[in-house]
Amino acid sequence: MHTPLCDELGIEFPIFAFTHCRDVVVAVSKAGGFGVLGAVGFTPEQLEVELNWIDEHIGDHPYGVDIVIPNKYEGMDSDLSAEELTKMLQSMVPQETLEFGRKLLTDHGVPLPEGDDNALQLLGWTEATATPQVDVALQHPKVTLIANALGTPPADMIEHIHESGRKVAALCGSPYQARKHADAGVDIIIAQGGEGGGHCGEVGSIVLWPQVVKEVAPIPVLAAGGIGSGQQIAAALALGAQGAWSGSQWLMVEEAENTAVQQAAYANATSRDTVRSRSFTGKPCRMLRNDWTEAWEKEGNPEPLGMPLQYMVSGMAVAATHKYPDDSIDVAFNPVGQVVGQLTKVEKTSAVIERWVQEYLDATGTLERLNDAANA
Amino acid sequence: MHTPLCDELGIEFPIFAFTHCRDVVVAVSKAGGFGVLGAVGFTPEQLEVELNWIDEHIGDHPYGVDIVIPNKYEGMDSDLSAEELTKMLQSMVPQETLEFGRKLLTDHGVPLPEGDDNALQLLGWTEATATPQVDVALQHPKVTLIANALGTPPADMIEHIHESGRKVAALCGSPYQARKHADAGVDIIIAQGGEGGGHCGEVGSIVLWPQVVKEVAPIPVLAAGGIGSGQQIAAALALGAQGAWSGSQWLMVEEAENTAVQQAAYANATSRDTVRSRSFTGKPCRMLRNDWTEAWEKEGNPEPLGMPLQYMVSGMAVAATHKYPDDSIDVAFNPVGQVVGQLTKVEKTSAVIERWVQEYLDATGTLERLNDAANA
């Protein structure tokens, strides 16, 4: 599965692993893949600590940092500080919606967070907070890729990253978005099908991937949404991708920080147990279905607000997820893709990479034998 | 792409083409694939005419017939005749829902059908009407496969088909349904991802296919939902399928009966222009989004009834689709998958098969070269 993109990035396998755990970033890159740290939720100071730790442990291997910059929020003044922004947003949330969210938590016996915990969760979701994260990341020479999980990065940010000699990647859910990324100078397009965990569109991977490949050629495309085995990577490469971007699998590795209760929830879930819900971020985002997501779907209950307003309500559930991960599982934010249905056990990260490589060789070997037999 | 299943069925390529047009069945099988005629909507007498025509034109090639037998309808007495059943169902439709459907048609300038046109459309959607179709099909020696598009066929029907020396295939949207098919003795499982046209589940093909392959091995699996190129067939085979089942592509061939207006609607649609809607059959079914599907989604309007009740209302729109295909396009039933986004022109059927085979060889050739380079 060694594609030209591997040579450009100096890696052995085009397996890109998105994770919030620094240990997983290190383990993936050391096993020949490319670890990418999700920076959402970290202050610039916290991010600096994480990246220093990675630098110390990753050896000579490269890695990436993933930020979230929504294109724009309507009516939002970009000159506001993070604090001012938060205050403004909080004032826009209907009291009824806020109370509904609070009641969902307390009904499940989950303590409400104190103080500004909700607001904290906004960090990293605006250009104002993402820019310092990028500045921190660019101070670390082994960070060779900055990825944006939502929308086309602003032109000046792309320029800034390019000037520092790093590549820019961006996720998309349609050929239309892929074209916008390409025109803006994005180096690697990540095409995420509707199967994917987190923010995703509705078009399935098998249809989306080749459309994006065709739209932006010769820009390399990573296939995302439904990657959890070497066979799925073989399918991605057959459809023209130069590599695979994965997230769900890395929740189920020994190096991940997820608790046993969380990992059991993933292990027990089938592919039909995820839902595209607006109940956490305000935009359709795939996650485990639970009492929180169901409550926001129910007729008569408040509808989720838009992004970023909904975060002013769901932030308390996310905070609870972090503080009381096991007790809050039924109202927690558990973003994961449909591929969760094939994740049944916790493995070592290096074992996952080895397994995927072997599965890839088995799958492509079967195709070779079919061709050989047809030619015989 | 010649798999063991090809030898079992005596075909060159494991390309299964679902179509309502006898000309397409013939053209696909003669080009080395396997044409499957959708029997829904045909009386046994009409079906006999179609199959005779196919027999005359298809040479020595085999083909299949697709029927629809929903597992069961609640509270429905299977001893009722088709006429009694229709009358009973019609009496259960709320007048408000029926009037809403009628108004949608007349608001679009589409004449309401006369007499029992609505009821006619139910034909083929119950065991009572599907059984005679199977009996007709089994009189034709070149029919070597009976497929069921919805649910597990009844045990006695499977037995009956097996006794006549033919194979049984059945569609599924989850490993759970696949297991039920396998346990019932189905010979070929068609795993259709949520991308697919017609009735489909929510799990995407890239995730669903390998789960079904694993669940029912060694029973052969056909990959459906998102098949419209040789690359997509290569992906399917990499994921363990023994062939591909396709529908959307065959609406866009010269041999199809679709009008130029219908084909233009498909050619202009992107992959985001389809919707999983209950507005025609009562079950989630993927089709082109239009004024009919949108109206049934709108808050305040009647909600679609269940299957088969909704058909007592939508039958008039389906009848109009047949009688006035061009004038009714905005309220017509246009089942198609997300793959419609890559269908931009009308081709000869034989040219499609040739293209798919070449694309498959290109895709698998690329994978071979990657492996060769990695080993060099």
Side-chain angles (χ1 to χ4, degrees), chain B residues 331-351:
Chain B
V331 288
F333 182 38
N334 299 303
V336 73
Q338 291 184 338
V339 78
V340 71
Q342 70 196 52
L343 304 177
T344 55
K345 62 178 179 190
V346 178
E347 296 171 89
K348 254 181 99 78
T349 294
S350 60

Side-chain angles (χ1 to χ4, degrees), chain A residues 244-281:
Chain A
W245 176 274
S246 52
S248 305
Q249 173 72 66
W250 313 109
L251 303 166
M252 290 291 279
V253 289
E254 289 174 13
E255 293 85 348
E257 286 164 15
N258 306 86
T259 68
V261 171
Q262 289 176 317
Q263 290 183 325
Y266 293 125
N268 293 330
T270 74
S271 293
R272 293 165 112 173
D273 293 329
T274 73
V275 61
R276 264 178 99 235
S277 169
R278 296 206 301 110
S279 65
F280 277 95
T281 72

Side-chain angles (χ1 to χ4, degrees), chain A residues 1-4 173-174 176-177 195 201-211 214 225-227 229 231-232 234-240 271-272 286 289 299 303 338-342 360-361 363-368 370-374, chain B residues 1-4 173-174 176-177 195 201-211 214 225-227 229 231-232 234-240 271-272 286 289 299 303 338-342 360-361 363-368 370-374:
Chain A
M1 64 173 81
H2 191 90
T3 60
S174 72
Y176 170 78
Q177 292 167 347
E195 295 90 336
E202 291 188 87
V203 180
S205 290
I206 196 81
V207 171
L208 177 71
W209 294 343
Q211 286 186 16
K214 189 176 168 192
I227 299 291
S229 75
Q231 289 92 344
Q232 283 153 337
L237 267 54
L239 290 161
S271 293
R272 293 165 112 173
R286 190 173 292 284
R289 183 186 290 112
E299 219 174 290
E303 286 192 26
Q338 291 184 338
V339 79
V340 72
Q342 70 195 54
Y360 176 91
L361 292 174
T364 54
T366 301
L367 295 179
E368 285 193 32
L370 280 180
N371 280 351
D372 291 345
Chain B
M1 64 173 81
H2 191 88
T3 61
S174 72
Y176 170 77
Q177 293 168 346
E195 295 90 336
E202 291 189 85
V203 180
S205 290
I206 202 83
V207 172
L208 177 71
W209 294 343
Q211 286 186 16
K214 188 177 169 194
I227 298 293
S229 75
Q231 290 92 344
Q232 283 153 337
L237 267 55
L239 290 161
S271 293
R272 292 165 113 173
R286 189 172 293 285
R289 184 185 288 111
E299 221 171 291
E303 285 192 27
Q338 291 184 338
V339 78
V340 71
Q342 70 196 52
Y360 176 90
L361 292 173
T364 53
T366 300
L367 296 179
E368 286 193 32
L370 280 179
N371 279 351
D372 291 346

Side-chain angles (χ1 to χ4, degrees), chain A residues 288-342:
Chain A
L288 281 190
R289 183 186 290 112
N290 65 10
D291 292 348
W292 178 278
T293 67
E294 295 279 274
W296 290 92
E297 294 285 326
K298 208 171 155 189
E299 219 174 290
N301 286 349
E303 286 192 26
L305 309 169
M307 177 182 277
L309 275 191
Q310 180 66 11
Y311 223 79
M312 297 294 104
V313 183
S314 68
M316 55 183 145
V318 175
T321 307
H322 290 298
K323 280 200 183 166
Y324 322 101
D326 296 349
D327 298 329
S328 72
I329 192 89
D330 294 333
V331 289
F333 183 37
N334 299 304
V336 73
Q338 291 184 338
V339 79
V340 72
Q342 70 195 54

Side-chain angles (χ1 to χ4, degrees), chain B residues 295-374:
Chain B
W296 290 91
E297 295 285 327
K298 209 170 157 191
E299 221 171 291
N301 286 348
E303 285 192 27
L305 308 170
M307 177 182 279
L309 275 191
Q310 180 66 11
Y311 222 79
M312 297 294 104
V313 183
S314 67
M316 56 182 144
V318 176
T321 308
H322 289 299
K323 279 198 185 166
Y324 322 101
D326 295 350
D327 297 330
S328 71
I329 192 88
D330 294 334
V331 288
F333 182 38
N334 299 303
V336 73
Q338 291 184 338
V339 78
V340 71
Q342 70 196 52
L343 304 177
T344 55
K345 62 178 179 190
V346 178
E347 296 171 89
K348 254 181 99 78
T349 294
S350 60
V352 171
I353 302 273
E354 281 166 33
R355 174 167 64 78
W356 285 12
V357 170
Q358 190 54 53
E359 288 166 346
Y360 176 90
L361 292 173
D362 291 347
T364 53
T366 300
L367 296 179
E368 286 193 32
R369 278 191 299 281
L370 280 179
N371 279 351
D372 291 346

Side-chain angles (χ1 to χ4, degrees), chain A residues 112-123:
Chain A
L112 294 176
E114 290 162 26
D116 264 348
D117 274 7
N118 307 356
L120 265 177
Q121 301 303 324
L122 181 70
L123 283 169

Side-chain angles (χ1 to χ4, degrees), chain A residues 11-84:
Chain A
I11 56 176
E12 196 175 351
F13 310 120
I15 295 171
F16 293 74
F18 171 84
T19 171
H20 287 286
C21 302
R22 61 191 188 184
D23 301 79
V24 179
V25 171
V26 166
V28 167
S29 285
K30 287 178 90 166
F34 192 91
V36 180
L37 185 74
V40 163
F42 292 125
T43 63
E45 295 71 26
Q46 290 168 330
L47 184 62
E48 175 71 19
V49 172
E50 301 297 298
L51 301 189
N52 282 337
W53 188 92
I54 293 174
D55 288 342
E56 276 170 38
H57 293 82
I58 204 165
D60 291 334
H61 300 281
Y63 66 102
V65 172
D66 182 278
I67 53 172
V68 179
I69 318 173
N71 244 345
K72 54 174 178 295
Y73 295 131
E74 269 177 52
M76 190 179 291
D77 185 341
S78 62
D79 290 339
L80 292 177
S81 72
E83 289 73 24
E84 291 169 322

